[in-house]
Amino acid sequence: MNTINKLKVRLILIAFFAGIILSACDKNVKNTDNILLDKGWEFRQVGTEEWREASVPGCVHNDLLTHGLIENPFIGMNEEKVQWIEKEDWEYRNVFNVSASLLGKASITLNFEGLDTYAIVSLNGQEILQGDNMFIAHKTDVKSYLQKGANELHILFKSPVKKGMEKLQKLDYILKATNEIAPEGERTNIFTRKAPYHFGWDWGPRLVTSGIWRPVEIKAWDLLKVEDVFFAPQSVSKNRANYEAKVTVHVTKEISVKAVLNIPNVLNKEITFDLNEGEQEVSIDFQIDNPKLWWSNGLGEAHLYDVNISFFQEEQELEKYTQKLGVRNLELIQEADSIGRSFYFKLNDVPVFAKGANYIPSEIFNAIQTHETYQRVINDAVKANMNMLRVWGGAVYENDEFYELCDENGILVWQDFMFACALVPGDSLHLENIRKEANYNVKRLRKFASMALWCGNNENLIAWNNWGWKEAYPKKVSDKIWRDYEKVFYEILPEAVANYHPQVSYWASSPQAYGDNMPDRKSGDEHDWTVWFAQAPFENYAKEVPRFVSEYGLQSFPEMTTIKAFTTEDKDLTYRSEVMEHRQRSNMEWIAPGMNGNEMIMRYIKKYYKPAQNFEDFVYLSQLTQAKGLKTAIEAHRRNMPYCMGSLYWQINDCWPTMSWASVDYFGRWKASHYAVKKAFEPIILSVEQTSKVLRVYVISEKLEAFQADLQLHFRKMNGDLLLAENHEIEVLPNTSTICFEMPLFQINFLDARKREMFLQVRLGSDNVLIAENIHLFRKEKDIRFPIPKITTQINIQEDQKILKLNTSHFSKGVQLSVKNEEVFFSDNYFDLIPGKDKEIILETSLDSAQISQNLMINSLADLYKSK
């Protein structure tokens, strides 16, 4: 063979093997290629020259604060100094590089998970989209706009207040928006699909943000992209769960693929699809035999399966999608009975008494809310024995990680759509915007096992009928406004739920009665604000108890450490100082001139306690009062189960440091009330009810099996001496409330004056194990003689836990623990201490025993009044 022929053979062999190598490489080429645009952003005020570094996700307020261009709006009255921001337009830009390989992908989209709110987006000088809804994602094809190398993305945010004012001025009547902090004729939040609470509420500031509040990403792919997955349950029982996996895919050309659905150690299913170009839905049926069911907190494990769906073309994996699945049956039961209709959630055939609170975002600037903050709030709920949170309708549909944590911890979610205490514009563009928002968020959140209910709005129905709204307009205008209400809450929103999440019930307004009627306490849910706004005593919680109480509560001040974080001078430290008046947003001028939430706190303190001697005492008493109120309410609701099957107080958290209805303050510090609700939400509790004629003890159990137990009632003097003892063997019935002891008051045989010097200790035990305990006083705290106690302490270390042991000489009410100048979490606080009985508290702190002992501070109600 000559040299030329040898060269030809060599070239042929090289080409052959190169083809094999390239073919192998082709099978390993990534179908997708993404760029997360979270770095390199700049911002500026429109009309100014200098660009400054920006955070994305973020907002303009936070960027200005980072650069020291504004003062911290959380301190003092600085909030007033930053109101100008909401009336300005702002620009953001980013320069990013695109590789040739990404540019070569068949499909490239730019995805904004959240733009806040009126946004004009340009790419390389060409406008590509306009946004006008904070609550939806925006996705647009940008393949034809991109270029190899540097690309510039520019976003112009128009002032939401000015845009809202333009819309407001087109109407010849004013739509009601009760809670916005602005003059009546300037309340614009209802015209903008943006978090209403940004415009102010009766517990939060007015800080109207603009910015890129959720991630931005470029997504590129060649053949197939999974857009959405929903595991639609067909039937679920303890023996078998049947599902239909509805998978939305986007393909760039006709293609045949193999789909593999895998649940590790459970099942593996393969199916072949012939797909057309474009977006389409494919279905994969599967079943899980003898499934591990998902249970709410307290009833069992919140088990989640990992479900993987992969798509292959021949041997090349095009896309892999993983999603959690909680297998459960969940229903809202509204059955007719002798009084009205029930209202409760049934989980896996078990009626669930909903124990929990209303939730608001933990930040006014949503983008800076971290995973750690979400984790803290959910942990606070779990530690307090909650099984439900209501995501309130004046805020935002939360990030996925919030619902993921609810799934993992067995916290059911009552989800409001974002409408609260305001009328809704009815023009066609606004209604279509709402439709897009509803469809998007129902589809986004339906995958979570924790989703229990979709609710249309917060208090719009009662506002229309009871707050004088309907009468404020001529009949022609009134009729039109009501038709607009019906379009949104009886058509658009329920259609979104029916189309995309029919497995979960829709409830048009909270509160309301069955059949979309006004609340009547015989059906549906209720917001019980007879206490606080109607100034009723706590005893009112036990009168005409509703079927499900989705709001109630009262305010308190936070810890002094928190107060000092937002005040700057000693003169601020009075309950009606200028700063405290500014911080307090619950204005009650309609009750009395000058009346506000701070004064209402004082009024409720005086109902039950002697007046405070100084500001720190006032703060302490405000917390005891709030704790007493919530304890009273929760016990009343639980005593009345199964007639009443839900108790969600207002509210678990704060969005800035302030006095409010929250049981945990902005910095995560538990108030006395959170310790109180933790005890009141225990799976098994004892509750004492005293009327004018009788004393009753109830045992309330959410356990699913009956059991025998010993009930002890000890009537004691303040020094612990026993006056009378009652011991009874009782059967604790499953998942209900039962009267386990009853005695006419006259049989106690104590003089009326003695009731000021005694208390009742009730205990439930089994096999020498304490199950539940409660303390009952026969008079209001202000009418009781509390001797000054001598409290002794001892600190022990057990298995790396620091345990504080306390004992007292006399009954001690509201024992408050703190460590000077240190952050320490106590497993219990603001508790009652009984003579002769040790109390052990677990401390979470890095301090050693000596440091704790040297700096431990103990306060009680008796200490407060010792000089009186």
Side-chain angles (χ1 to χ4, degrees), residues 295 299 344-353 702 704 735:
W295 289 98
L299 288 182
Y344 69 91
F345 295 91
K346 182 186 284 187
L347 177 63
N348 302 326
D349 295 324
V350 174
V352 177
F353 186 97
E702 64 182 35
L704 302 184
N735 208 21

Side-chain angles (χ1 to χ4, degrees), residues 330-342:
L330 185 62
E331 306 170 82
L332 174 64
I333 305 299
Q334 298 187 82
E335 295 176 337
D337 56 28
S338 60
I339 300 173
R341 282 185 180 268
S342 64

